[in-house]
């Protein structure tokens, strides 16, 4: 769900990341504090309107939600069981709106721009010994590693499946952890050999 | 010219390389040897990723110990697994990383990015997420990330081991076309036929140092 | 801070995010924190990377979540989640990882039980000590009720402590000078 940037020229693409991230925080908080189904529904429609404004298709919006579909179904069923259909609809719609809103920022902002903004914002902590450039590198690395770790996990799971061990958490987690640490050593060598000076 | 003088390398009490002396001046040099023969450690000595326990490694007169920064700029390093070398999530960001570290201007970074991507037929992948590239494209990106830093030497540590045949050919062609001095550690003997010099490592020592037509049969014989 | 520390910080933040891709077991909707594998990332970060690197790794993770990346289990993210009933547990993670790292480093030759206790102190006791009052306050639930609810999570968290202990001890054997 990370490397989602969809190149484009819309006003949302051209907007600088700071205001977008601020708007996301405010929007997400407002969605959480709001208790009304009608307002949530309206918010969802507004968010979908923003997708149009960003020249994104409804298909792209749907792609953001599809991986979470079963969670929606589960939440909906549980809330319906416990608290009735209105609350169930409210909870699921709120979740959908929140994810679409967060994804909208990710889709229209290059991760490097987002990181530059965060790094700049963290510059205020410089007197406390915080080095924004290092934080920027750590953020990029983390975003880069997530799909790699997901892939490693997938590979190990398949290898263990061949041995009938895919259900053993240890048989999967242990090789993943060892490969991860090995990777950490190589990556830090690679960064050094590409001229990075801490 | 890379000069290695009486180099011994130890990790704890394990001796990985013992008393190696060599000078590397040819345009295409291969290092072969079994797993654990010390060839990877040897490759890492050349750009100062690993420092010798005894002896010195000098690149165009600069020691990897005292001039590490300048040596790394001169000697680019390509790893076996490109996933361990690509640092940024998006192709153009990753290419920019090394250039930013060297203090290149924004215009230079943009221009060189365009050039290198065109060279490897990857122009349309400029804004592509790195993790969605094919294995061969990832390795070409890793090589590109090194080349944009304009090194005089390129050291590659088994760059084709993890690739399928088609991608292997693509990366091999890219390596063949490099104008830099190439030092290649590999298991892939096919790759080395046209090289100027092949050095065979076994248990931390050099057991052969010759042209491919002599060194490769010697290695094959020794391994069987 | 050297390159390797930066890499470790990024890696354990990413590991915690990747563990979020394992399907969470949730009940009672968004009011209660779902049972996820992510706190395993917290435990491993502290026990493997140490107090400082582990703590900073989770701090980085929380910052990324706060700016809206959907890195929490089930694709949750954004400031809203942190402000919600389960936000205290997530905000506690950097401290939990740091405490685990500190305790584990204090007893380098510790056996299975001691390592498990260190991990449990940070990964369960401290996390609950911050998360439960937060939940009681934000969810207007009251402390007693919150405590009762959290009992449901203890077995899952104990399983994660055992898993983390096994993995850490295995890694120590594979990488003796970790």
């Amino acid at each position: 769900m990370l490397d989602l940037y969809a190149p484009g020229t819309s006003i949302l693409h051209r907007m600088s990341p700071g205001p977008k991230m601020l708007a996301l925080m405010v929007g997400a908080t407002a969605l959480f504090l709001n208790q009304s189904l009608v307002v949530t529904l309206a918010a969802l429609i507004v968010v979908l309107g923003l997708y149009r404004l960003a020249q994104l298709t409804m298909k792209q919006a749907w792609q953001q939600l599809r991986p979470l579909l079963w969670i929606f179904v589960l939440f909906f069923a549980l809330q319906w069981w416990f608290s009735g259909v209105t609350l169930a609809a409210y909870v699921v719609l709120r979740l959908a709106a929140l994810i679409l809103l967060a994804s909208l920022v990710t889709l229209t902002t290059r991760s490097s721009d987002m990181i530059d903004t965060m790094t700049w914002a963290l510059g205020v902590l410089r007197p406390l010994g915080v080095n924004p450039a290092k934080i920027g590198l750590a953020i990029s690395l983390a975003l880069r590693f997530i799909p790699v770790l997901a892939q490693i996990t997938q590979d190990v799971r398949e290898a263990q499946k061949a041995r009938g061990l895919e259900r053993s958490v240890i048989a999967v987690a242990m090789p993943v952890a060892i490969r991860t640490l090995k990777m950490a050593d190589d990556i830090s060598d690679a960064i050094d050999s590409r001229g990075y000076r801490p | 010219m890379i000069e290695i003088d009486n180099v011994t390398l130890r990790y704890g009490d394990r001796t990985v390389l013992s008393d190696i002396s060599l000078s590397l001046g040819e345009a295409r040099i291969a290092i072969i040897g079994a797993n654990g023969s010390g060839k990877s450690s040897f490759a890492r000595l050349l750009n100062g990723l690993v420092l010798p326990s005894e002896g010195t490694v000098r690149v165009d007169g600069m020691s990897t110990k005292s001039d590490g920064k300048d040596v790394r700029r001169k000697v680019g390093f390509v790893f076996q697994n490109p996933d361990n070398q690509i640092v940024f999530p998006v192709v153009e960001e990753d290419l920019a990383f090394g250039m930013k570290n060297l203090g290149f201007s924004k215009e230079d970074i943009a221009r060189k990015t365009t050039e290198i991507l065109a060279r490897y037929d990857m122009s349309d992948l400029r804004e592509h997420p790195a993790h969605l590239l094919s294995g061969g494209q990832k390795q070409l990106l890793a090589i590109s990330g090194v080349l944009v830093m304009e090194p005089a030497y390129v050291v590659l540590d088994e760059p084709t081991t993890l690739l399928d045949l088609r991608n292997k050919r693509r990366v091999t062609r890219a390596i063949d076309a490099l104008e830099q001095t190439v030092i290649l550690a590999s298991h892939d003997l096919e790759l080395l036929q046209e090289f100027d010099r092949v050095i065979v490592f076994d248990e931390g020592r050099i057991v052969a140092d010759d042209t491919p037509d002599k060194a490769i049969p010697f290695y094959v014989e020794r391994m069987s | 801070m050297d390159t390797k520390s930066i890499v470790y910080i990024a890696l354990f933040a990413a590991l915690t995010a990747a563990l979020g891709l394992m399907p969470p077991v949730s009940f009672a909707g968004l009011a209660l924190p779902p049972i996820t594998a992510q706190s395993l990332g917290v435990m491993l970060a502290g026990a493997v990377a140490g107090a400082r690197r582990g703590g900073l790794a989770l701090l980085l993770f929380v910052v990324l979540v706060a700016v809206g990346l959907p890195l929490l289990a089930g694709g949750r993210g954004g400031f809203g989640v942190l402000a919600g009933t389960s936000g205290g547990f997530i905000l506690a993670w950097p401290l939990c990882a740091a405490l685990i790292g500190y305790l584990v480093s204090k007893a380098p030759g510790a056996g299975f039980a001691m390592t498990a206790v260190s991990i449990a102190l940070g990964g369960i006791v401290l996390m609950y000590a911050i998360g439960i009052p937060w939940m009681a306050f934000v969810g207007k639930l009251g402390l007693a009720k919150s405590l009762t609810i959290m009992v449901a999570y203890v077995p899952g968290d104990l399983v994660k402590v055992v898993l983390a202990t096994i993995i850490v001890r295995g890694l120590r054997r594979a990488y003796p000078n970790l």
Side-chain angles (χ1 to χ4, degrees), chain A residues 189, chain B residues 4 7-11 14-18 20 31 33-53 57 64 77 79 155-158 183 185 201 203-205:
Chain A
D189 277 351
Chain B
I4 296 116
V7 164
T8 293
L9 179 64
R10 285 185 217 95
Y11 290 134
R14 197 162 57 92
T15 304
V16 187
L17 294 169
S18 33
I20 307 273
I31 306 161
N35 292 328
S37 60
K39 65 177 189 312
S40 266
S41 302
F42 179 77
R44 282 167 165 72
L45 278 172
L46 302 178
N47 83 332
L49 276 178
V50 171
L51 296 174
S53 314
V57 176
T64 55
F77 197 100
F79 290 75
V155 180
L156 305 102
D157 186 12
E158 301 190 34
I183 299 155
F201 276 78
E203 296 186 344
R205 289 170 198 281

Side-chain angles (χ1 to χ4, degrees), chain B residues 65-214:
Chain B
K65 262 185 191 152
S66 49
D67 308 307
K69 199 179 85 185
D70 297 317
V71 167
R72 278 178 194 166
R73 169 150 198 192
K74 269 227 139 94
V75 185
F77 197 100
V78 177
F79 290 75
Q80 176 180 24
N81 185 351
D83 269 334
N84 295 0
Q85 172 149 9
I86 299 167
V87 176
F88 280 73
V90 175
V91 168
E92 68 173 340
E93 296 169 8
D94 188 69
L95 289 172
F97 177 65
M99 294 191 274
K100 276 187 190 161
N101 289 336
L102 295 180
F104 285 22
S105 72
K106 258 203 163 109
E107 294 74 35
D108 279 352
I109 292 176
R111 182 176 50 78
K112 291 176 75 67
T113 301
T114 310
E115 276 169 20
I116 199 86
L117 288 175
R119 181 161 162 191
Y120 294 127
D121 282 331
M122 304 205 295
S123 298
D124 50 333
L125 300 176
R126 191 178 184 123
E127 295 188 350
H128 211 70
H131 78 275
L132 296 179
L133 299 175
S134 74
Q137 287 169 334
K138 277 186 193 169
Q139 193 57 281
L140 288 172
L141 173 60
I143 293 173
S144 303
V146 167
L147 293 181
V148 289
M149 296 171 67
E150 302 173 335
Y153 303 84
V154 179
V155 180
L156 305 102
D157 186 12
E158 301 190 34
T160 58
T161 308
L162 299 171
L163 301 178
D164 62 33
L165 199 58
R166 205 163 120 245
N167 280 313
K168 200 165 99 177
R169 290 216 178 105
R170 211 172 152 194
V171 171
T172 306
R173 270 201 305 277
I175 295 171
D176 282 344
L178 292 176
E179 65 256 31
Q180 283 89 349
T181 297
V182 169
I183 299 155
L184 171 71
S186 184
H187 283 301
D188 190 354
L189 304 178
E190 223 177 296
L191 219 69
L192 319 173
Q193 300 293 346
E194 305 295 317
F195 271 49
D196 301 313
R197 181 176 175 188
V198 175
I199 303 168
V200 184
F201 276 78
D202 196 11
E203 296 186 344
R205 289 170 198 281
I206 295 170
V207 293
D209 182 353
D210 216 322
T211 49
D213 59 316
K214 299 203 182 75

Side-chain angles (χ1 to χ4, degrees), chain A residues 25 28-29 32 94-95 98-99, chain C residues 30 33-34 65-66 68-73 75-91 134 138:
Chain A
M25 281 195 211
T29 311
F32 254 82
R94 182 176 73 170
L95 188 58
L98 185 69
I99 288 164
Chain C
L30 282 176
V65 169
L69 294 179
L71 300 181
L72 288 168
R76 297 172 306 144
F79 200 62
V81 183
L82 295 179
T85 46
S86 58
F89 293 95
I90 295 154
L91 290 168
W134 181 289
V138 176

Side-chain angles (χ1 to χ4, degrees), chain C residues 14-171:
Chain C
L15 181 70
T16 307
L19 285 168
L21 298 173
M22 289 189 168
V25 182
S26 39
F27 45 96
L30 282 176
L32 297 182
I35 297 179
T36 75
Q38 283 193 306
S39 51
L40 188 60
V42 180
M43 296 173 190
L44 288 175
V48 177
R52 185 153 174 248
R53 291 166 169 185
L56 289 172
L58 269 298
L59 187 61
L60 173 59
F61 178 83
V62 171
V63 168
L64 292 177
V65 169
V67 299
L69 294 179
L71 300 181
L72 288 168
R76 297 172 306 144
F79 200 62
V81 183
L82 295 179
T85 46
S86 58
F89 293 95
I90 295 154
L91 290 168
W93 283 352
L95 294 173
C96 298
L99 178 65
I100 292 170
Y102 173 77
L103 292 174
V104 167
S105 71
K106 279 285 139 186
F112 189 93
M114 265 307 288
T115 309
V117 168
S118 301
I119 293 175
L121 279 173
I124 298 181
V125 177
L126 180 61
M127 193 165 91
Y128 283 28
I130 297 171
I132 291 176
W134 181 289
M135 187 163 89
F137 177 72
V138 176
K140 301 188 183 70
L141 269 173
L143 214 50
K145 223 176 196 170
S146 303
L147 264 171
T148 325
I149 291 170
M150 288 312 293
V151 170
Y153 291 88
V154 174
D157 282 336
L158 286 173
V159 170
K160 279 180 265 182
V161 167
V162 172
L163 281 177
T165 310
I166 294 172
I167 293 170
V168 168
R169 290 175 61 80
L171 281 177

Side-chain angles (χ1 to χ4, degrees), chain A residues 10 17 19 46 48 61 64 95 100 117 126 129 136 158 163 173 188 191:
Chain A
S10 76
V46 169
L48 287 173
Q64 312 311 312
L95 188 58
L100 284 173
T117 305
R126 210 189 287 268
E158 268 164 26
R163 303 164 60 193
S188 93
I191 291 172

